[in-house]
Amino acid sequence: MSLQLNLATLTEGELLSLFGAQELQRRLPEISRARLEGHALPGPAIPEVLPDEPAPDQPGQLWGATPEQSRALSVLDAELLNLGAERGNVYRLPSDDLLVRAYTLGDVALAVHWNEGQGTARTVQPRLRLLTWLRDRASGLACVLTTDAQTQPVPSPSEEMDVHQHPGASPAELLKLHQQYVLRLGRAQKLPEGGWLAVWQAAHDLNLAAWERRAVLITPG
């Protein structure tokens, strides 16, 4: 089952990250009207359960909608493998345009995201996210997420997630920074049974609980 974002309850910063300045200006009157009238304004879908069926991988297929995007994915893949990461499956997110490739490296679950939608493939580079769960929550935090993405996640992550953004950082730099953030908070938790999917679903559940507390999610229909 998928939920939907309620655009009328998102902050201005979240709306800006979601749509960009130009598209937000176009949508702002509708969003403002929904706020004034006190009704929900449905936005993008948010799944309750992340997809666990790998996307079909045809022999000889190169991921990416354009040669430029395929090269960027290949370069990033080579860098991650050189660091010792193990490559996993590719999954399609709720929108068929959004894909994620799974990697694991010790106690770190890595995710490479990209968009194959028309009009975005040539300009939007693949993004890398690193996730590690902590053995205890003495710090008040459950996990650490480090990313090279420029825009803020939408909606904002749970307050129990320690999030760091480093646009332009190389995979090696991002991994080093991520490990430092984990060490500051405690000891890393080993990847559980189920590995990559279990770790990212747990983080997603943490976020869903926070978003439900904020009432930024609605049920379609």
Side-chain angles (χ1 to χ4, degrees), residues 136-184:
D136 62 61
R137 301 192 182 188
S139 62
L141 297 165
C143 57
V144 179
L145 175 67
T146 310
T147 177
D148 62 0
Q150 296 184 8
T151 57
Q152 297 288 334
V154 180
S156 298
S158 165
E159 63 279 1
E160 295 181 72
M161 187 177 291
D162 187 37
V163 180
H164 301 273
Q165 291 182 255
H166 295 279
S170 70
E173 292 169 337
L174 210 61
L175 177 62
K176 183 177 180 180
L177 289 165
H178 180 76
Q179 292 170 331
Q180 290 173 350
Y181 295 135
V182 172
L183 286 173
R184 290 176 189 173

Short mmCIF file of all heavy atoms in Angstrom, two decimals, residues 136-184:
data_model
loop_
_atom_site.label_atom_id
_atom_site.label_comp_id
_atom_site.label_asym_id
_atom_site.label_seq_id
_atom_site.Cartn_x
_atom_site.Cartn_y
_atom_site.Cartn_z
N ASP A 136 23.20 0.85 20.17
CA ASP A 136 22.26 1.31 21.19
C ASP A 136 21.88 2.75 20.88
O ASP A 136 22.45 3.38 19.98
CB ASP A 136 22.87 1.21 22.60
CG ASP A 136 24.12 2.08 22.76
OD1 ASP A 136 24.01 3.31 22.60
OD2 ASP A 136 25.21 1.53 23.03
N ARG A 137 20.89 3.25 21.62
CA ARG A 137 20.39 4.60 21.36
C ARG A 137 20.70 5.53 22.51
O ARG A 137 19.92 6.45 22.83
CB ARG A 137 18.89 4.56 21.08
CG ARG A 137 18.52 3.68 19.89
CD ARG A 137 17.09 3.89 19.45
NE ARG A 137 16.73 3.00 18.35
CZ ARG A 137 15.59 3.07 17.68
NH1 ARG A 137 14.68 3.98 18.01
NH2 ARG A 137 15.34 2.24 16.69
N ALA A 138 21.85 5.31 23.16
CA ALA A 138 22.23 6.17 24.28
C ALA A 138 22.35 7.62 23.85
O ALA A 138 22.11 8.54 24.65
CB ALA A 138 23.55 5.67 24.87
N SER A 139 22.70 7.84 22.60
CA SER A 139 22.84 9.20 22.08
C SER A 139 21.49 9.82 21.72
O SER A 139 21.42 11.00 21.39
CB SER A 139 23.73 9.19 20.83
OG SER A 139 23.12 8.41 19.81
N GLY A 140 20.43 9.00 21.76
CA GLY A 140 19.12 9.47 21.32
C GLY A 140 18.91 9.29 19.83
O GLY A 140 17.86 9.65 19.31
N LEU A 141 19.91 8.73 19.17
CA LEU A 141 19.84 8.50 17.73
C LEU A 141 19.90 7.01 17.43
O LEU A 141 20.55 6.25 18.14
CB LEU A 141 20.99 9.23 17.03
CG LEU A 141 20.98 10.76 17.16
CD1 LEU A 141 22.32 11.33 16.77
CD2 LEU A 141 19.88 11.35 16.29
N ALA A 142 19.20 6.61 16.38
CA ALA A 142 19.13 5.19 16.03
C ALA A 142 20.09 4.82 14.91
O ALA A 142 20.58 3.69 14.86
CB ALA A 142 17.71 4.83 15.61
N CYS A 143 20.36 5.74 14.00
CA CYS A 143 21.19 5.41 12.84
C CYS A 143 21.80 6.67 12.26
O CYS A 143 21.41 7.80 12.61
CB CYS A 143 20.37 4.68 11.78
SG CYS A 143 18.90 5.57 11.22
N VAL A 144 22.78 6.47 11.39
CA VAL A 144 23.49 7.57 10.75
C VAL A 144 23.31 7.45 9.24
O VAL A 144 23.52 6.37 8.67
CB VAL A 144 24.99 7.55 11.09
CG1 VAL A 144 25.73 8.68 10.39
CG2 VAL A 144 25.19 7.63 12.61
N LEU A 145 22.94 8.54 8.60
CA LEU A 145 22.77 8.59 7.15
C LEU A 145 23.64 9.70 6.59
O LEU A 145 23.52 10.85 7.01
CB LEU A 145 21.30 8.84 6.79
CG LEU A 145 20.99 9.02 5.30
CD1 LEU A 145 21.22 7.71 4.55
CD2 LEU A 145 19.57 9.50 5.09
N THR A 146 24.51 9.35 5.66
CA THR A 146 25.40 10.33 5.03
C THR A 146 25.18 10.26 3.52
O THR A 146 25.09 9.19 2.95
CB THR A 146 26.87 10.02 5.36
OG1 THR A 146 27.01 9.85 6.78
CG2 THR A 146 27.77 11.16 4.92
N THR A 147 25.10 11.43 2.88
CA THR A 147 24.77 11.46 1.45
C THR A 147 25.50 12.59 0.75
O THR A 147 25.92 13.57 1.38
CB THR A 147 23.25 11.64 1.26
OG1 THR A 147 22.95 11.74 -0.13
CG2 THR A 147 22.74 12.89 1.96
N ASP A 148 25.66 12.43 -0.58
CA ASP A 148 26.24 13.50 -1.38
C ASP A 148 25.17 14.33 -2.07
O ASP A 148 25.47 15.16 -2.93
CB ASP A 148 27.22 12.93 -2.42
CG ASP A 148 26.56 11.98 -3.42
OD1 ASP A 148 25.33 11.76 -3.32
OD2 ASP A 148 27.26 11.45 -4.29
N ALA A 149 23.91 14.11 -1.72
CA ALA A 149 22.81 14.85 -2.34
C ALA A 149 22.86 16.33 -1.96
O ALA A 149 23.24 16.68 -0.84
CB ALA A 149 21.47 14.25 -1.92
N GLN A 150 22.47 17.17 -2.89
CA GLN A 150 22.47 18.61 -2.64
C GLN A 150 21.18 19.07 -1.96
O GLN A 150 21.20 19.97 -1.12
CB GLN A 150 22.65 19.37 -3.95
CG GLN A 150 24.00 19.13 -4.61
CD GLN A 150 24.18 19.98 -5.86
OE1 GLN A 150 23.38 20.86 -6.15
NE2 GLN A 150 25.25 19.72 -6.60
N THR A 151 20.06 18.47 -2.32
CA THR A 151 18.77 18.90 -1.77
C THR A 151 18.44 18.12 -0.51
O THR A 151 18.88 16.98 -0.33
CB THR A 151 17.65 18.70 -2.79
OG1 THR A 151 17.61 17.31 -3.19
CG2 THR A 151 17.88 19.56 -4.01
N GLN A 152 17.65 18.74 0.36
CA GLN A 152 17.22 18.10 1.59
C GLN A 152 16.23 16.98 1.29
O GLN A 152 15.44 17.08 0.35
CB GLN A 152 16.54 19.13 2.50
CG GLN A 152 17.45 20.26 2.96
CD GLN A 152 18.48 19.81 3.98
OE1 GLN A 152 18.27 18.85 4.72
NE2 GLN A 152 19.60 20.49 4.02
N PRO A 153 16.26 15.88 2.07
CA PRO A 153 15.25 14.83 1.90
C PRO A 153 13.86 15.39 2.19
O PRO A 153 13.69 16.29 3.03
CB PRO A 153 15.64 13.78 2.95
CG PRO A 153 17.06 14.09 3.30
CD PRO A 153 17.22 15.56 3.14
N VAL A 154 12.87 14.87 1.50
CA VAL A 154 11.48 15.31 1.68
C VAL A 154 10.59 14.08 1.87
O VAL A 154 10.62 13.17 1.04
CB VAL A 154 10.98 16.12 0.47
CG1 VAL A 154 9.53 16.57 0.69
CG2 VAL A 154 11.87 17.33 0.22
N PRO A 155 9.80 14.07 2.98
CA PRO A 155 9.84 14.99 4.12
C PRO A 155 11.16 14.86 4.90
O PRO A 155 11.92 13.92 4.69
CB PRO A 155 8.65 14.54 4.98
CG PRO A 155 7.82 13.67 4.11
CD PRO A 155 8.76 13.04 3.14
N SER A 156 11.38 15.79 5.83
CA SER A 156 12.58 15.73 6.65
C SER A 156 12.63 14.41 7.41
O SER A 156 11.59 13.93 7.89
CB SER A 156 12.59 16.90 7.63
OG SER A 156 12.61 18.13 6.94
N PRO A 157 13.81 13.81 7.55
CA PRO A 157 13.91 12.51 8.23
C PRO A 157 13.55 12.58 9.70
O PRO A 157 13.46 13.66 10.30
CB PRO A 157 15.39 12.14 8.05
CG PRO A 157 15.87 12.98 6.91
CD PRO A 157 15.08 14.23 6.97
N SER A 158 13.36 11.42 10.30
CA SER A 158 13.06 11.31 11.72
C SER A 158 14.14 11.99 12.55
O SER A 158 15.32 12.01 12.19
CB SER A 158 12.98 9.82 12.10
OG SER A 158 13.03 9.65 13.50
N GLU A 159 13.72 12.52 13.69
CA GLU A 159 14.67 13.15 14.61
C GLU A 159 15.63 12.12 15.22
O GLU A 159 16.64 12.49 15.82
CB GLU A 159 13.90 13.86 15.74
CG GLU A 159 13.07 12.97 16.63
CD GLU A 159 11.71 12.60 16.04
OE1 GLU A 159 11.42 13.04 14.91
OE2 GLU A 159 10.95 11.90 16.73
N GLU A 160 15.34 10.84 15.06
CA GLU A 160 16.23 9.79 15.55
C GLU A 160 17.28 9.39 14.52
O GLU A 160 18.07 8.47 14.76
CB GLU A 160 15.42 8.55 15.94
CG GLU A 160 14.47 8.77 17.10
CD GLU A 160 13.72 7.50 17.45
OE1 GLU A 160 14.35 6.58 18.01
OE2 GLU A 160 12.52 7.42 17.15
N MET A 161 17.31 10.07 13.40
CA MET A 161 18.28 9.78 12.35
C MET A 161 19.28 10.91 12.25
O MET A 161 18.90 12.08 12.11
CB MET A 161 17.55 9.58 11.01
CG MET A 161 18.43 9.12 9.88
SD MET A 161 17.48 8.82 8.36
CE MET A 161 16.53 7.38 8.83
N ASP A 162 20.56 10.59 12.35
CA ASP A 162 21.63 11.58 12.25
C ASP A 162 22.01 11.72 10.78
O ASP A 162 22.64 10.84 10.20
CB ASP A 162 22.84 11.11 13.08
CG ASP A 162 23.93 12.15 13.16
OD1 ASP A 162 23.60 13.35 13.24
OD2 ASP A 162 25.12 11.77 13.14
N VAL A 163 21.61 12.83 10.16
CA VAL A 163 21.75 13.01 8.72
C VAL A 163 22.84 14.04 8.41
O VAL A 163 22.88 15.12 9.00
CB VAL A 163 20.42 13.46 8.08
CG1 VAL A 163 20.58 13.64 6.58
CG2 VAL A 163 19.33 12.44 8.39
N HIS A 164 23.71 13.69 7.46
CA HIS A 164 24.78 14.59 7.03
C HIS A 164 24.83 14.64 5.51
O HIS A 164 24.76 13.61 4.86
CB HIS A 164 26.13 14.10 7.57
CG HIS A 164 26.19 14.01 9.06
ND1 HIS A 164 26.54 15.08 9.86
CD2 HIS A 164 25.92 12.97 9.89
CE1 HIS A 164 26.48 14.69 11.14
NE2 HIS A 164 26.11 13.43 11.17
N GLN A 165 24.95 15.84 4.97
CA GLN A 165 25.01 16.02 3.52
C GLN A 165 26.35 16.63 3.13
O GLN A 165 26.79 17.62 3.73
CB GLN A 165 23.87 16.93 3.04
CG GLN A 165 22.50 16.28 3.16
CD GLN A 165 21.40 17.17 2.63
OE1 GLN A 165 20.65 17.76 3.39
NE2 GLN A 165 21.31 17.26 1.30
N HIS A 166 26.98 16.04 2.12
CA HIS A 166 28.27 16.53 1.62
C HIS A 166 28.25 16.52 0.10
O HIS A 166 28.83 15.64 -0.53
CB HIS A 166 29.41 15.65 2.16
CG HIS A 166 29.58 15.71 3.64
ND1 HIS A 166 30.26 16.74 4.28
CD2 HIS A 166 29.13 14.89 4.62
CE1 HIS A 166 30.24 16.53 5.58
NE2 HIS A 166 29.56 15.42 5.82
N PRO A 167 27.58 17.51 -0.51
CA PRO A 167 27.54 17.57 -1.98
C PRO A 167 28.94 17.66 -2.56
O PRO A 167 29.80 18.40 -2.06
CB PRO A 167 26.75 18.86 -2.25
CG PRO A 167 25.97 19.09 -0.99
CD PRO A 167 26.82 18.60 0.12
N GLY A 168 29.17 16.87 -3.61
CA GLY A 168 30.46 16.91 -4.28
C GLY A 168 31.51 15.98 -3.70
O GLY A 168 32.59 15.84 -4.28
N ALA A 169 31.23 15.35 -2.56
CA ALA A 169 32.21 14.44 -1.96
C ALA A 169 32.33 13.17 -2.78
O ALA A 169 31.34 12.66 -3.32
CB ALA A 169 31.80 14.11 -0.53
N SER A 170 33.54 12.64 -2.89
CA SER A 170 33.75 11.37 -3.58
C SER A 170 33.26 10.24 -2.70
O SER A 170 33.08 10.41 -1.48
CB SER A 170 35.24 11.19 -3.88
OG SER A 170 35.95 10.95 -2.67
N PRO A 171 33.03 9.04 -3.27
CA PRO A 171 32.62 7.91 -2.44
C PRO A 171 33.60 7.63 -1.29
O PRO A 171 33.17 7.34 -0.17
CB PRO A 171 32.58 6.75 -3.44
CG PRO A 171 32.24 7.41 -4.74
CD PRO A 171 32.97 8.71 -4.71
N ALA A 172 34.91 7.72 -1.55
CA ALA A 172 35.90 7.48 -0.50
C ALA A 172 35.79 8.52 0.61
O ALA A 172 35.86 8.19 1.80
CB ALA A 172 37.30 7.48 -1.10
N GLU A 173 35.64 9.79 0.21
CA GLU A 173 35.49 10.85 1.21
C GLU A 173 34.21 10.67 2.00
O GLU A 173 34.19 10.84 3.24
CB GLU A 173 35.48 12.22 0.51
CG GLU A 173 36.80 12.60 -0.12
CD GLU A 173 36.68 13.81 -1.03
OE1 GLU A 173 35.56 14.09 -1.53
OE2 GLU A 173 37.71 14.47 -1.26
N LEU A 174 33.13 10.32 1.32
CA LEU A 174 31.84 10.14 1.99
C LEU A 174 31.90 8.98 2.98
O LEU A 174 31.37 9.09 4.10
CB LEU A 174 30.77 9.89 0.93
CG LEU A 174 29.35 10.35 1.26
CD1 LEU A 174 29.31 11.86 1.48
CD2 LEU A 174 28.39 9.97 0.14
N LEU A 175 32.56 7.90 2.59
CA LEU A 175 32.69 6.75 3.49
C LEU A 175 33.49 7.11 4.73
O LEU A 175 33.11 6.75 5.86
CB LEU A 175 33.34 5.58 2.76
CG LEU A 175 33.60 4.33 3.59
CD1 LEU A 175 32.30 3.73 4.11
CD2 LEU A 175 34.37 3.29 2.76
N LYS A 176 34.58 7.83 4.56
CA LYS A 176 35.40 8.23 5.70
C LYS A 176 34.61 9.12 6.66
O LYS A 176 34.64 8.93 7.88
CB LYS A 176 36.65 8.97 5.21
CG LYS A 176 37.61 9.37 6.32
CD LYS A 176 38.86 10.03 5.76
CE LYS A 176 39.81 10.44 6.88
NZ LYS A 176 41.04 11.10 6.32
N LEU A 177 33.90 10.10 6.11
CA LEU A 177 33.09 10.99 6.94
C LEU A 177 31.99 10.21 7.66
O LEU A 177 31.74 10.43 8.86
CB LEU A 177 32.47 12.09 6.07
CG LEU A 177 33.43 13.15 5.54
CD1 LEU A 177 32.77 13.93 4.40
CD2 LEU A 177 33.87 14.07 6.66
N HIS A 178 31.35 9.31 6.94
CA HIS A 178 30.28 8.50 7.53
C HIS A 178 30.80 7.70 8.71
O HIS A 178 30.15 7.67 9.78
CB HIS A 178 29.70 7.58 6.47
CG HIS A 178 28.59 6.70 6.95
ND1 HIS A 178 27.31 7.16 7.17
CD2 HIS A 178 28.58 5.37 7.29
CE1 HIS A 178 26.56 6.17 7.61
NE2 HIS A 178 27.31 5.08 7.69
N GLN A 179 31.93 7.06 8.56
CA GLN A 179 32.49 6.25 9.64
C GLN A 179 32.85 7.11 10.84
O GLN A 179 32.69 6.68 11.99
CB GLN A 179 33.71 5.49 9.12
CG GLN A 179 33.35 4.41 8.11
CD GLN A 179 34.55 3.81 7.42
OE1 GLN A 179 35.58 4.46 7.24
NE2 GLN A 179 34.45 2.54 7.01
N GLN A 180 33.29 8.33 10.60
CA GLN A 180 33.61 9.24 11.70
C GLN A 180 32.34 9.62 12.47
O GLN A 180 32.35 9.67 13.71
CB GLN A 180 34.29 10.50 11.16
CG GLN A 180 35.70 10.26 10.64
CD GLN A 180 36.29 11.49 9.97
OE1 GLN A 180 35.59 12.49 9.71
NE2 GLN A 180 37.58 11.43 9.65
N TYR A 181 31.25 9.89 11.75
CA TYR A 181 29.99 10.24 12.42
C TYR A 181 29.50 9.07 13.27
O TYR A 181 29.00 9.27 14.39
CB TYR A 181 28.93 10.60 11.38
CG TYR A 181 29.24 11.85 10.59
CD1 TYR A 181 29.05 11.87 9.20
CD2 TYR A 181 29.71 13.00 11.21
CE1 TYR A 181 29.34 13.02 8.46
CE2 TYR A 181 29.99 14.15 10.47
CZ TYR A 181 29.82 14.14 9.10
OH TYR A 181 30.09 15.28 8.38
N VAL A 182 29.63 7.86 12.76
CA VAL A 182 29.20 6.68 13.52
C VAL A 182 30.02 6.54 14.79
O VAL A 182 29.47 6.31 15.88
CB VAL A 182 29.31 5.41 12.65
CG1 VAL A 182 29.04 4.16 13.49
CG2 VAL A 182 28.33 5.47 11.49
N LEU A 183 31.34 6.70 14.69
CA LEU A 183 32.22 6.54 15.85
C LEU A 183 31.92 7.56 16.94
O LEU A 183 32.09 7.28 18.13
CB LEU A 183 33.68 6.64 15.41
CG LEU A 183 34.25 5.43 14.66
CD1 LEU A 183 35.64 5.71 14.14
CD2 LEU A 183 34.26 4.20 15.58
N ARG A 184 31.50 8.75 16.55
CA ARG A 184 31.19 9.78 17.53
C ARG A 184 29.97 9.41 18.38
O ARG A 184 29.83 9.87 19.51
CB ARG A 184 30.91 11.11 16.82
CG ARG A 184 32.13 11.76 16.20
CD ARG A 184 31.73 13.01 15.44
NE ARG A 184 32.83 13.55 14.65
CZ ARG A 184 32.72 14.54 13.79
NH1 ARG A 184 31.53 15.13 13.61
NH2 ARG A 184 33.76 14.98 13.10
#
